Amino acid sequence: MAIIKLSAIERRRLSAFVTCLVVALFAWLFTVLSNPYKYTVKRVLNFKNTPQRRAFHSLQPDTINATVQGTGWKMLFSQMTGENKAVTVDLSTLENKNYVVLSTQLSQINDKKDLDHQIVAFNPDTLYFDFSNRLIKRVPVKLVTALHYQRQFAQSGAIRMKPAYVTISGPAEVLAKIKYWRTDSVNLNDVSESFRSRVNLVPSGEGNLNVLPKSVFVSIPVDEFTEKTMQIPVKLINNRNFYDVKIFPQKVRVTFTTSLKDYPDMNEDDFEAVADLDQWKQGYRVLTVRLNHLPSYSKIVKIEPQNVDFIVKK
């Protein structure tokens, strides 16, 4: 392939030409993007001033096509960033109608928008709604958590929420499907102390569904745990024929974890160790010890011995 050799003067001329071409291209691009254009974007619908005496269901998707008038720069940036801002629609007219005309609300929709980024039209321009009787229902709050504790720390008591129930109102067919209402997720790492805070509820995804209150106060008791060992008497169960049965030993050593707060108050009445005589009828020579009851939030480390001997006098 032939290589074109340029003199120093020709190289300077070529460099100047390329520079001028690039400058001219950027100048043209800047001019073009500075001109006003109309382009279509999707917008999420938010509702305000919803009817208090009428439950409604939107007959359209929760997004709408909006025609926006703005500069080419705005159009370019909206495409690059995937901009999908919400449009707030006033539903106060639904008290006596079953539709809302968006073009009549353009001025208030554009009120907080830049002058060079105004919405000029919607498709569709009219939103239609289906109405039903508005009912009220009370459901429990479900706390969503992802807690990771420091070593030897754990939840030491029941979680308390105030209020524990929320009131929801909306269409009967929607309320029938709701059994509880979730909170925002509480994500905590290296937890070593009790958690007490106000937690928001998950907002309603439907404009015709109201939830009150919007948040609850949550208390999660946390304490350091340690091991404790106690002698627990073994109770014989399923002695249906009232045999005279002696078990050896009559007590077992139970090692368990407990919070430091509850440590001094633990006693044998908090536990129930049992041996099942049905195992003898199944051919067992020893009876397995199991715990039917132990304090909440305690965990068994070991039981010694795990089996007991027995003598049956018929």
Side-chain angles (χ1 to χ4, degrees), residues 235-243 275-279 281 290:
K235 176 183 177 182
L236 188 69
I237 62 173
N238 292 326
N239 185 9
R240 299 181 181 87
N241 295 321
F242 302 101
Y243 294 129
D276 191 349
L277 194 60
D278 279 346
Q279 290 185 317
K281 298 177 182 179
R290 73 171 188 265

Side-chain angles (χ1 to χ4, degrees), residues 62-177:
D62 59 358
T63 60
I64 193 171
N65 290 325
T67 301
V68 178
Q69 180 171 298
T71 64
W73 294 107
K74 289 285 186 180
M75 179 176 64
L76 178 63
F77 290 143
S78 67
Q79 295 295 329
M80 292 175 60
T81 60
E83 185 181 89
N84 194 12
K85 295 182 179 178
V87 170
T88 301
V89 179
D90 189 342
L91 299 185
S92 56
T93 58
L94 290 185
E95 293 291 353
N96 48 31
K97 295 180 181 179
N98 66 344
Y99 63 90
V100 171
V101 180
L102 298 180
S103 58
T104 61
Q105 300 186 22
L106 276 177
S107 59
Q108 62 188 77
I109 291 174
N110 286 322
D111 187 43
K112 296 182 179 180
K113 296 184 180 297
D114 299 333
L115 293 177
D116 58 348
H117 201 200
Q118 299 280 296
I119 296 176
V120 296
F122 291 101
N123 183 24
D125 184 48
T126 303
L127 303 180
Y128 292 93
F129 297 85
D130 181 33
F131 291 90
S132 61
N133 292 330
R134 193 173 191 87
L135 299 181
I136 296 176
K137 184 177 182 179
R138 193 166 175 258
V139 297
V141 177
K142 183 176 182 179
L143 180 64
V144 180
T145 61
L147 305 181
H148 302 280
Y149 298 94
Q150 286 188 18
R151 187 178 180 182
Q152 291 188 285
F153 286 85
Q155 181 182 332
S156 60
I159 296 175
R160 295 185 179 182
M161 291 183 290
K162 189 176 180 180
Y165 289 80
V166 294
T167 301
I168 55 177
S169 60
E173 62 273 13
V174 176
L175 296 189
K177 301 176 183 178

Side-chain angles (χ1 to χ4, degrees), residues 4 14 17 29-30 48 52 56 71-72 94 96 116 147 169 190 234 243 257 264 282 288 292:
I4 301 176
L14 179 60
F17 172 77
L29 183 62
F30 180 83
K48 69 175 183 178
Q52 297 302 310
F56 64 91
T71 64
L94 290 185
N96 48 31
D116 58 348
L147 305 181
S169 60
D190 296 326
V234 179
Y243 294 129
T257 60
Q282 297 168 7
T288 303
N292 275 356

Side-chain angles (χ1 to χ4, degrees), residues 223 226 228 230 258-267 270:
D223 198 357
T226 187
K228 185 173 184 177
M230 297 182 63
T258 179
S259 65
L260 295 182
K261 175 178 65 68
D262 295 330
Y263 188 97
D265 300 325
M266 290 290 181
N267 59 65
D270 296 319

Side-chain angles (χ1 to χ4, degrees), residues 175-243:
L175 296 189
K177 301 176 183 178
I178 300 175
K179 306 302 180 184
Y180 53 82
W181 199 269
R182 289 188 177 92
T183 67
D184 284 343
S185 181
V186 178
N187 299 308
L188 298 173
N189 293 316
D190 296 326
V191 179
S192 61
E193 58 184 18
S194 297
F195 172 83
R196 296 181 181 87
S197 180
R198 185 160 291 278
V199 178
N200 291 329
L201 299 177
V202 173
S204 170
E206 301 185 33
N208 60 342
L209 197 65
N210 291 332
V211 181
L212 290 174
K214 303 297 183 182
S215 63
V216 295
F217 183 81
V218 177
S219 175
I220 305 176
V222 175
D223 198 357
E224 186 175 357
F225 279 67
T226 187
E227 290 187 2
K228 185 173 184 177
T229 300
M230 297 182 63
Q231 295 282 347
I232 307 299
V234 179
K235 176 183 177 182
L236 188 69
I237 62 173
N238 292 326
N239 185 9
R240 299 181 181 87
N241 295 321
F242 302 101
Y243 294 129

